[in-house]
Amino acid sequence: MKRWLKMAAGAAAITLATAGCAGSGSGDSTNSSAAASNGSLTVWLMTGTAPEALTNSLHKEFEDAHPGVKVKYEIQQWNGIQQKLTTALASDNPPDVIELGNTQTPAFANQGVLADLTSSVNDFNGAQWLQGLKASGEFDGKTYGVPFYAANREVIYRKDMFEQAGITATPKTRAEWLDAITKLKAKFGSDPEFQALYHPGQNWYELLSYIWDEGGDIAQANGKSFKSTLDSPQAKAGLEFYKQLTDASGTKAPKDADEATPQQAGIYGAGKVAMMIGVPGEVDTAAKTDPKIKEKSGAFAIPGKTADKSAPVFLGGSNLVIPANSKNAAAAKDYVKLFSTPKYQTELAKAGYVPGTSTDVSALDANPLTKVMAEASKNGRAVPTSPKWGDVESGQNPIKDMLTAYLTGTKTLDQATADANAALDKLIGG
């Protein structure tokens, strides 16, 4: 999750910040008696997630409402953050507000180092939380994380190529998507370098969309642990469509790597690819290869089985947490409360992210790419809230192995899913 967040944030050049203090619905702060015990409030946000203008405004408003309290704002690097967080959260004097990747939150909640925020959900605009991130901040029936921001994948396409191929409407269903690929190959297929869809073999976040669209999941809660369900008929059906899409696409992408190896945006920007599945900001990266690619690009939501709704999407993003050992918990809650107000949620959307504590995403409408992302996020989900999920993403990922084995024909559908299910169970089942 951390790698994906870094890629998404860096590619998108879109960001956000947090803040807090008692605030009105419009974001105007009110006087608060919550003071920091040592005269400062330490806030850790990750690099690439907070525009300077936004954090400057937030911190000034917070400090104005809390005389004598200064925000000690520290930007953290993704590289090495896990160990740094582990050490800081176990100490007697941790930071007061921390940004955690949404797949990190359950692990630290399980360790007992995060404050229980269940009774404060309404203070943080809880009725408007983005549902996919809301689930990632919950553990064992309690809330430990407040949604910060999210981004999700969509199908980015070349409008000029679609027009030349006679495709008059963007696909709404899987069948229409495959038909569009057929038309693109008929028009441009004489070029041996052409790819209707650049489709890496290990884009497992994309695979989740098809599994969820089939009514399945990769794992289900089993008390306080999880039971893998990669061998269910629904998961198998999702994997089968992934292979169907790969085979039809004419992709030259490796089957044993994901979209970051090599970076797909550079390949899309080279001009021989009609579609890729990624986050909006990857078009900015592609523009480094071809500055005109931005005006040529459009987007549509990952198609579903039926036209009535697009496929569910994986929500990558972050939560805001307050360490259990914070000496300034009251002021920290004020900080998060201020961030949750419409004023700053709107600023967050203007920066290009889906806001975590507001259903108003109208500020994303100005950019057609982010508009599609925001609409698709309403049907967004997170990975299972297992405290051991970090082991899945940082180690030998069984879902990636399953994809490569099935796509290359090394294993049958039944073999690939059975082996992946057993491996995933070993990681999160206990």
Side-chain angles (χ1 to χ4, degrees):
M1 182 63 232
K2 289 180 292 180
R3 182 200 62 78
W4 186 86
L5 286 172
K6 181 179 179 182
M7 181 190 74
I14 49 181
T15 41
L16 111 68
T18 80
C21 145
S24 68
S26 64
D28 296 331
S29 41
T30 58
N31 293 328
S32 171
S33 60
S37 62
N38 56 3
S40 66
L41 188 81
T42 302
V43 177
W44 282 11
L45 300 183
M46 301 307 300
T47 183
T49 66
E52 185 176 359
L54 182 52
T55 53
N56 286 345
S57 176
L58 286 163
H59 295 163
K60 182 179 186 305
E61 185 167 352
F62 177 84
E63 290 173 353
D64 286 349
H66 296 75
V69 179
K70 291 292 182 181
V71 176
K72 185 181 179 183
Y73 177 45
E74 300 180 2
I75 299 174
Q76 304 298 318
Q77 303 300 313
W78 285 109
N79 187 34
I81 191 59
Q82 186 71 21
Q83 184 56 51
K84 189 171 185 179
L85 286 169
T86 300
T87 301
L89 286 166
S91 74
D92 291 332
N93 190 31
D96 301 297
V97 178
I98 298 177
E99 173 189 347
L100 292 182
N102 59 341
T103 59
Q104 295 175 308
T105 309
F108 286 115
N110 184 54
Q111 294 171 20
V113 294
L114 303 183
D116 180 359
L117 303 177
T118 308
S119 63
S120 301
V121 167
N122 290 337
D123 295 333
F124 305 138
N125 208 23
Q128 300 230 349
W129 284 10
L130 188 61
Q131 290 303 303
L133 284 187
K134 177 179 182 293
S136 73
E138 297 173 340
F139 182 74
D140 198 19
K142 297 179 181 179
T143 297
Y144 294 91
V146 176
F148 188 19
Y149 68 86
N152 48 271
R153 286 165 174 77
E154 60 191 8
V155 184
I156 297 166
Y157 74 100
R158 285 280 298 272
K159 294 184 290 185
D160 54 337
M161 287 184 172
F162 268 48
E163 182 178 355
Q164 292 174 50
I167 304 168
T168 58
T170 53
K172 300 293 185 184
T173 67
R174 293 182 186 178
E176 291 174 356
W177 197 8
L178 293 169
D179 182 62
I181 288 174
T182 299
K183 291 178 179 177
L184 287 162
K185 290 167 70 176
K187 177 64 178 179
F188 302 104
S190 60
D191 184 341
E193 297 182 16
F194 176 73
Q195 301 177 65
L197 169 68
Y198 185 78
H199 203 233
Q202 292 189 345
N203 194 346
W204 69 278
Y205 292 126
E206 175 201 342
L207 173 65
L208 293 178
S209 289
Y210 311 135
I211 293 176
W212 288 333
D213 198 34
E214 292 285 349
D217 209 336
I218 51 178
Q220 292 183 341
N222 181 24
K224 291 187 178 181
S225 63
F226 285 81
K227 174 62 181 173
S228 303
T229 54
L230 286 171
D231 60 351
S232 69
Q234 295 87 352
K236 289 180 180 179
L239 181 56
E240 283 184 297
F241 179 71
Y242 193 103
K243 186 176 188 302
Q244 183 182 9
L245 194 60
T246 301
D247 293 344
S249 68
T251 187
K252 303 180 187 304
K255 292 182 171 63
D256 60 352
D258 61 23
E259 70 277 15
T261 312
Q263 286 287 350
Q264 66 176 4
I267 296 171
Y268 176 73
K272 299 288 187 176
V273 172
M275 290 181 282
M276 69 174 176
I277 299 168
V279 295
E282 289 183 81
V283 176
D284 292 327
T285 302
K288 295 177 181 179
T289 303
D290 176 13
K292 295 182 179 180
I293 199 74
K294 294 179 73 172
E295 63 188 56
K296 297 176 182 177
S297 296
F300 55 91
I302 296 175
K305 292 180 67 176
T306 58
D308 58 321
K309 62 179 179 179
S310 58
V313 290
F314 166 73
L315 285 178
S318 288
N319 295 315
L320 297 176
V321 302
I322 298 173
N325 288 339
S326 168
K327 301 297 191 297
N328 308 305
K333 287 182 179 180
D334 281 355
Y335 185 88
V336 176
K337 183 176 181 179
L338 181 59
F339 159 71
S340 301
T341 58
K343 174 181 177 179
Y344 289 107
Q345 292 296 291
T346 298
E347 290 303 308
L348 172 57
K350 287 179 180 178
Y353 274 135
V354 179
T357 62
S358 174
T359 56
D360 181 7
V361 293
S362 58
L364 289 162
D365 291 350
N367 182 330
L369 301 182
T370 57
K371 180 178 181 179
V372 171
M373 178 183 71
E375 187 64 29
S377 73
K378 297 175 183 178
N379 193 18
R381 302 185 189 179
V383 295
T385 54
S386 166
K388 299 182 180 180
W389 192 261
D391 295 339
V392 177
E393 300 203 27
S394 63
Q396 191 71 24
N397 188 325
I399 309 174
K400 285 188 171 185
D401 292 343
M402 175 185 71
L403 279 161
T404 296
Y406 183 49
L407 293 177
T408 59
T410 304
K411 296 179 182 179
T412 66
L413 177 66
D414 288 345
Q415 289 172 331
T417 53
D419 290 349
N421 204 64
L424 189 60
D425 260 340
K426 288 181 179 180
L427 291 174
I428 67 171

